[in-house]
Amino acid sequence: MELLRKWLGHPEDIYNLLRFKMGGYRAVMPRMDTVSGGGCAGGGMRLAVTACYRYLNQTSRSFAAVIQALDGELRHAVCIFYLVLRALDTVEDDMSIPLDVKIPMLQEFHSHLYQPDWKYTESKEKHRQVLEDFPTISMEFRNLSKVYQDVISDICHKMGVGMAEFLEKKVDSQHEWDKYCHYVAGLVGIGLSQLFSASELEDSIVGQDTDLANSMGLFLQKTNIIRDYLEDQLEGREFWPKEVWSRYAKKLSDLAKPENIDVAVLCLNELITNALHHVPDVLTYLSRLKNQSVFNFCAIPQVMAIATLAACYNNQQVFRGVVKIRKGQAVTLMMDATNIQAVKAIMYQYVEEIYQKIPSTDPSSNKTQQVIASIRAMSLPGSPMASRHHYSPIYLSCAMLLAALSWQYLSTLSKATEEYVQAGE
């Protein structure tokens, strides 16, 4: 009955889950064309291409469906880009590899793209298949146009060097936090932007403006780092910058202690304020995009991120468990974020939600208000999307009745949207 109570509080979730399941996802995740995406012949995919998309769906919780919705040859370039970086990331995550082996392995990983037989079979990580069958991935990499190869190889090289740098040091200053996030996420944004431009689906400025592309990655990465505080602590990882948390505790782990919850939340709010500074760049970047599939690909993670930050802001639960946005909320964001005005309205909605929760005694309150003011200035609601969550009394009554009659069925249905990448299959 807990599920029923949650849905009665958000009847629009029921409507949007049903709408999404009954075909609404096609607007953002159309069925993949198996001919144009990967050098296919005879009306179907080659075995190597099929393997790559299988690995994509097995290893990506967030991007598989939207990657497969990209137009034309860009789809395959981004798929291979993702798998190459997933293989690199698997090496970084594998704690069974000694540092004296791992560091040169990361630094030289890009060279394996041009070595047909290279693979690594000793990984203990859950996504080790991308290393064990790296010859298939590298072959598809070499089948890409040179313009795509150059981007992927360059980003892989820079990321490997950056990952190796941070293996032996912690994130201390806010500058180093930005640097770490640049290596693991900002470079992804830059590489993707260069692929968009190389495909000619987007103007050259998209790939050339690396500052904006970097902000796209930093906003997502900082959101993940902020949200995953407790999970990272349990796994022995620390990504919150010491320059910030040391003002609130002697050790980062101390923030999880019940007696420190008040100062822990203040630290959390300061980091969320830091992340919000990337939102104006995100809006500027998205406003330049022309291709619908590229826009959806870029916008969906960004609106998920702002919703996640709004849920985390001033929330003690970050230090006690997992903070997630509702499934119906995620589906609504996916279906709404298909144009720049809608995205601006979404950003406006969630920064207003944060603004309403700013504690007057929070030492970061002035900075939080200032960054929200700058986001407001770029995203003032002027379109019908700004009021998209206003539903008539008749609709609400029908939705509640539907919830009461079908909550058990929808409980099963919601499992299909646990990861939105599954919904497009």
Side-chain angles (χ1 to χ4, degrees):
M1 293 302 291
E2 176 62 24
L3 181 63
L4 175 60
R5 283 193 293 270
K6 287 170 65 177
W7 269 334
L8 286 173
H10 301 278
E12 69 274 15
D13 286 2
I14 307 168
Y15 172 72
N16 287 318
L17 280 167
L18 285 172
R19 188 159 64 103
F20 189 78
K21 184 66 177 176
M22 295 173 68
Y25 58 83
R26 292 293 178 209
V28 290
M29 296 181 296
R31 188 178 300 278
M32 188 175 73
D33 171 8
T34 59
V35 177
S36 65
C40 309
M45 282 189 168
R46 289 183 284 105
L47 290 177
V49 179
T50 303
C52 286
Y53 283 96
R54 183 172 69 252
Y55 296 147
L56 173 67
N57 282 283
Q58 289 172 349
T59 59
S60 172
R61 294 184 57 202
S62 305
F63 294 114
V66 283
I67 287 175
Q68 291 171 104
L70 288 168
D71 289 340
E73 64 183 18
L74 176 62
R75 175 192 310 129
H76 199 54
V78 173
C79 173
I80 300 305
F81 184 42
Y82 175 87
L83 292 177
V84 168
L85 298 188
R86 170 59 73 182
L88 179 68
D89 191 56
T90 301
V91 172
E92 184 202 25
D93 287 343
D94 195 332
M95 303 305 292
S96 69
I97 304 175
L99 280 183
D100 61 340
V101 175
K102 183 185 290 190
I103 289 175
M105 195 173 175
L106 290 171
Q107 293 170 332
E108 299 164 9
F109 195 86
H110 67 290
S111 65
H112 302 319
L113 293 168
Y114 297 97
Q115 297 169 1
D117 297 326
W118 186 88
K119 59 184 175 182
Y120 186 73
T121 58
E122 299 175 30
S123 176
K124 304 298 188 292
E125 287 293 299
K126 63 179 179 179
H127 297 316
R128 58 186 176 272
Q129 69 265 39
V130 294
L131 291 172
E132 294 172 346
D133 194 19
F134 197 75
T136 295
I137 296 169
S138 67
M139 179 177 70
E140 285 306 307
F141 165 82
R142 293 188 299 276
N143 283 336
L144 295 172
S145 300
K146 186 177 184 300
V147 65
Y148 296 135
Q149 290 185 37
D150 290 345
V151 171
I152 295 172
S153 177
D154 177 58
I155 297 298
C156 182
H157 184 199
K158 291 174 179 175
M159 186 176 292
V161 170
M163 286 177 168
E165 176 184 336
F166 276 90
L167 279 179
E168 297 186 289
K169 71 176 184 180
K170 292 186 176 181
V171 178
D172 286 332
S173 67
Q174 293 186 66
H175 172 75
E176 285 180 337
W177 197 37
D178 282 356
K179 190 176 183 181
Y180 171 77
C181 292
H182 164 74
Y183 282 139
V184 300
L187 283 172
V188 179
I190 291 170
L192 285 169
S193 301
Q194 292 172 347
L195 293 177
F196 299 157
S197 294
S199 72
E200 299 184 355
L201 292 176
E202 298 296 345
D203 293 336
S204 59
I205 186 61
V206 173
Q208 292 167 356
D209 196 332
T210 56
D211 286 342
L212 291 188
N214 187 59
S215 280
M216 293 283 285
L218 263 60
F219 185 58
L220 299 182
Q221 186 65 22
K222 288 181 178 181
T223 298
N224 290 339
I225 288 173
I226 291 166
R227 178 199 60 199
D228 293 341
Y229 166 84
L230 194 59
E231 178 184 329
D232 287 337
Q233 282 293 304
L234 295 174
E235 295 291 332
R237 300 186 296 258
E238 293 190 353
F239 298 113
W240 283 26
K242 185 177 181 180
E243 180 184 343
V244 176
W245 64 255
S246 62
R247 293 198 288 268
Y248 301 93
K250 291 182 178 179
K251 295 186 297 183
L252 181 56
S253 58
D254 289 345
L255 295 178
K257 296 178 179 179
E259 63 268 26
N260 295 328
I261 192 63
D262 291 337
V263 293
V265 168
L266 297 180
C267 181
L268 168 71
N269 291 349
E270 182 172 347
L271 290 182
I272 290 176
T273 299
N274 177 296
L276 289 174
H277 280 89
H278 298 292
V279 173
D281 278 356
V282 167
L283 292 174
T284 301
Y285 180 98
L286 293 175
S287 69
R288 291 176 173 173
L289 301 179
K290 301 185 302 181
N291 179 270
Q292 187 64 58
S293 72
V294 172
F295 186 90
N296 294 346
F297 176 87
C298 294
I300 289 171
Q302 302 294 332
V303 295
M304 296 287 190
I306 191 67
T308 299
L309 288 182
C312 289
Y313 187 82
N314 211 47
N315 188 349
Q316 297 180 0
Q317 185 62 22
V318 172
F319 303 96
R320 296 169 176 164
V322 181
V323 175
K324 288 184 177 181
I325 60 176
R326 304 182 309 277
K327 298 181 188 72
Q329 185 182 4
V331 164
T332 299
L333 291 170
M334 287 178 61
M335 291 193 293
D336 283 353
T338 56
N339 62 78
I340 188 59
Q341 290 306 318
V343 170
K344 286 181 177 181
I346 291 167
M347 292 290 188
Y348 185 93
Q349 172 192 338
Y350 285 109
V351 296
E352 284 299 302
E353 186 176 310
I354 292 172
Y355 183 83
Q356 296 302 321
K357 295 191 290 185
I358 298 175
S360 59
T361 56
D362 192 315
S364 301
S365 61
N366 288 338
K367 290 182 179 179
T368 310
Q369 291 168 355
Q370 288 171 8
V371 69
I372 287 178
S374 67
I375 297 169
R376 280 172 172 164
M378 294 186 68
S379 57
L380 287 174
S383 68
M385 289 302 302
S387 58
R388 66 192 185 289
H389 293 307
H390 294 169
Y391 298 91
S392 70
I394 293 177
Y395 164 71
L396 291 175
S397 299
C398 291
M400 288 182 181
L401 177 61
L402 178 61
L405 294 173
S406 60
W407 70 272
Q408 187 169 11
Y409 164 70
L410 287 172
S411 176
T412 302
L413 171 63
S414 70
K415 294 177 183 177
T417 57
E418 179 67 34
E419 298 177 8
Y420 69 78
V421 301
Q422 304 268 339
E425 295 179 357

